[in-house]
Coordinates of all heavy atoms in Angstrom, one line a residue:
V1 N -35.0 -3.2 38.5 CA -33.7 -2.7 38.4 C -33.1 -3.0 37.0 O -32.5 -2.2 36.3 CB -32.7 -3.3 39.4 CG1 -31.3 -2.8 39.2 CG2 -33.2 -2.8 40.8
N2 N -33.4 -4.2 36.4 CA -32.9 -4.5 35.1 C -33.6 -3.6 34.0 O -33.0 -3.2 33.1 CB -33.2 -6.0 34.8 CG -32.4 -6.4 33.6 OD1 -31.2 -6.6 33.6 ND2 -33.1 -6.6 32.4
T3 N -34.9 -3.3 34.3 CA -35.6 -2.4 33.4 C -34.9 -1.0 33.4 O -34.7 -0.4 32.3 CB -37.1 -2.2 33.8 OG1 -37.7 -3.5 33.7 CG2 -37.8 -1.3 32.8
A4 N -34.5 -0.6 34.6 CA -33.8 0.7 34.7 C -32.4 0.6 34.0 O -32.0 1.6 33.3 CB -33.6 1.1 36.2
L5 N -31.7 -0.5 34.1 CA -30.5 -0.7 33.4 C -30.7 -0.6 31.9 O -29.9 0.1 31.2 CB -29.9 -2.0 33.8 CG -28.5 -2.4 33.1 CD1 -27.8 -3.4 34.0 CD2 -28.7 -3.0 31.8
M6 N -31.7 -1.2 31.4 CA -31.9 -1.2 29.9 C -32.3 0.2 29.4 O -31.8 0.6 28.4 CB -33.0 -2.2 29.6 CG -32.7 -3.7 29.9 SD -31.4 -4.4 28.9 CE -32.3 -4.6 27.4
Y7 N -33.1 0.9 30.2 CA -33.4 2.3 29.8 C -32.2 3.2 29.9 O -32.1 4.1 29.1 CB -34.6 2.8 30.6 CG -35.9 2.5 30.0 CD1 -36.7 1.5 30.6 CD2 -36.4 3.1 28.9 CE1 -38.0 1.2 30.0 CE2 -37.6 2.8 28.3 CZ -38.4 1.9 28.9 OH -39.6 1.5 28.4
T8 N -31.3 2.9 30.8 CA -30.1 3.7 30.9 C -29.3 3.6 29.6 O -28.6 4.5 29.2 CB -29.3 3.3 32.1 OG1 -30.1 3.4 33.3 CG2 -28.0 4.0 32.3
G9 N -29.4 2.4 29.0 CA -28.7 2.2 27.7 C -29.1 3.2 26.6 O -28.4 3.3 25.6
R10 N -30.2 3.9 26.8 CA -30.6 4.9 25.8 C -29.8 6.2 25.9 O -29.8 7.0 25.0 CB -32.1 5.2 26.0 CG -32.9 4.0 25.6 CD -34.4 4.4 25.6 NE -35.2 3.2 25.3 CZ -36.4 3.3 24.8 NH1 -37.0 4.5 24.7 NH2 -37.1 2.2 24.6
I11 N -29.0 6.3 27.0 CA -28.1 7.5 27.2 C -26.9 7.1 26.4 O -26.3 6.0 26.6 CB -27.9 7.7 28.7 CG1 -29.2 8.0 29.4 CG2 -26.8 8.9 28.8 CD1 -29.0 8.1 30.9
K12 N -26.4 8.0 25.6 CA -25.2 7.7 24.7 C -24.0 7.2 25.5 O -23.4 6.2 25.1 CB -24.8 9.0 23.9 CG -23.7 8.7 22.9 CD -23.4 9.9 22.1 CE -22.3 9.5 21.1 NZ -21.9 10.6 20.3
M13 N -23.7 7.8 26.6 CA -22.6 7.4 27.4 C -22.7 5.9 27.9 O -21.7 5.2 28.1 CB -22.5 8.3 28.6 CG -21.5 8.0 29.6 SD -21.6 9.4 30.8 CE -20.3 8.9 31.9
F14 N -23.9 5.4 28.0 CA -24.1 4.0 28.5 C -24.7 3.1 27.5 O -25.3 2.1 27.8 CB -25.0 4.1 29.8 CG -24.5 4.9 30.9 CD1 -25.1 6.1 31.2 CD2 -23.4 4.5 31.6 CE1 -24.6 6.9 32.3 CE2 -22.8 5.2 32.6 CZ -23.4 6.4 33.0
S15 N -24.6 3.5 26.2 CA -25.3 2.8 25.1 C -24.7 1.4 24.8 O -25.4 0.6 24.2 CB -25.2 3.6 23.8 OG -23.9 3.8 23.4
L16 N -23.5 1.1 25.4 CA -23.0 -0.3 25.2 C -23.6 -1.2 26.3 O -23.0 -1.5 27.3 CB -21.5 -0.3 25.3 CG -20.8 -1.6 25.0 CD1 -21.0 -2.1 23.6 CD2 -19.3 -1.5 25.4
I17 N -24.8 -1.6 26.0 CA -25.6 -2.4 27.0 C -24.8 -3.7 27.4 O -24.8 -4.1 28.6 CB -27.0 -2.6 26.6 CG1 -27.8 -1.3 26.6 CG2 -27.7 -3.6 27.5 CD1 -29.2 -1.3 26.1
P18 N -24.2 -4.4 26.4 CA -23.5 -5.6 26.8 C -22.4 -5.3 27.8 O -22.1 -6.1 28.7 CB -22.9 -6.1 25.5 CG -23.9 -5.7 24.5 CD -24.3 -4.3 24.9
G19 N -21.8 -4.1 27.7 CA -20.8 -3.7 28.7 C -21.4 -3.6 30.1 O -20.7 -4.0 31.1
M20 N -22.6 -3.1 30.2 CA -23.2 -3.0 31.5 C -23.5 -4.4 32.0 O -23.3 -4.7 33.2 CB -24.5 -2.2 31.4 CG -24.3 -0.7 31.3 SD -25.8 0.2 31.8 CE -26.7 0.2 30.3
F21 N -23.9 -5.3 31.2 CA -24.1 -6.7 31.6 C -22.8 -7.4 32.0 O -22.8 -8.3 32.9 CB -24.9 -7.5 30.6 CG -26.4 -7.2 30.7 CD1 -27.0 -6.4 29.8 CD2 -27.1 -7.8 31.8 CE1 -28.4 -6.2 30.0 CE2 -28.5 -7.5 31.9 CZ -29.1 -6.7 31.0
F22 N -21.7 -7.1 31.3 CA -20.4 -7.7 31.8 C -20.1 -7.2 33.2 O -19.6 -8.0 34.0 CB -19.3 -7.2 30.8 CG -19.3 -7.8 29.4 CD1 -18.9 -7.1 28.3 CD2 -19.8 -9.1 29.2 CE1 -19.0 -7.6 27.1 CE2 -19.9 -9.6 28.0 CZ -19.4 -8.9 26.9
G23 N -20.3 -5.9 33.5 CA -20.1 -5.4 34.8 C -21.1 -6.0 35.8 O -20.7 -6.3 37.0
F24 N -22.3 -6.1 35.4 CA -23.4 -6.7 36.2 C -23.0 -8.1 36.7 O -23.0 -8.4 37.9 CB -24.6 -6.7 35.3 CG -25.9 -7.1 35.9 CD1 -26.7 -6.1 36.6 CD2 -26.5 -8.3 35.8 CE1 -27.9 -6.3 37.1 CE2 -27.8 -8.6 36.3 CZ -28.5 -7.6 37.0
A25 N -22.6 -9.0 35.7 CA -22.3 -10.3 36.0 C -21.0 -10.4 36.8 O -20.9 -11.2 37.7 CB -22.1 -11.1 34.7

């Protein structure tokens, strides 16, 4: 799942990967 999250960061809309980890945590 974390690998999927990181690859999702390649999509411009989700490119702020730290933002995803803030939501994750």
Side-chain angles (χ1 to χ4, degrees):
V1 176
N2 194 71
T3 301
L5 181 153
M6 299 292 284
Y7 272 106
T8 301
R10 293 186 179 201
I11 301 168
K12 185 176 181 181
M13 173 178 184
F14 301 109
S15 62
L16 183 65
I17 293 175
M20 284 200 279
F21 277 104
F22 291 146
F24 191 81

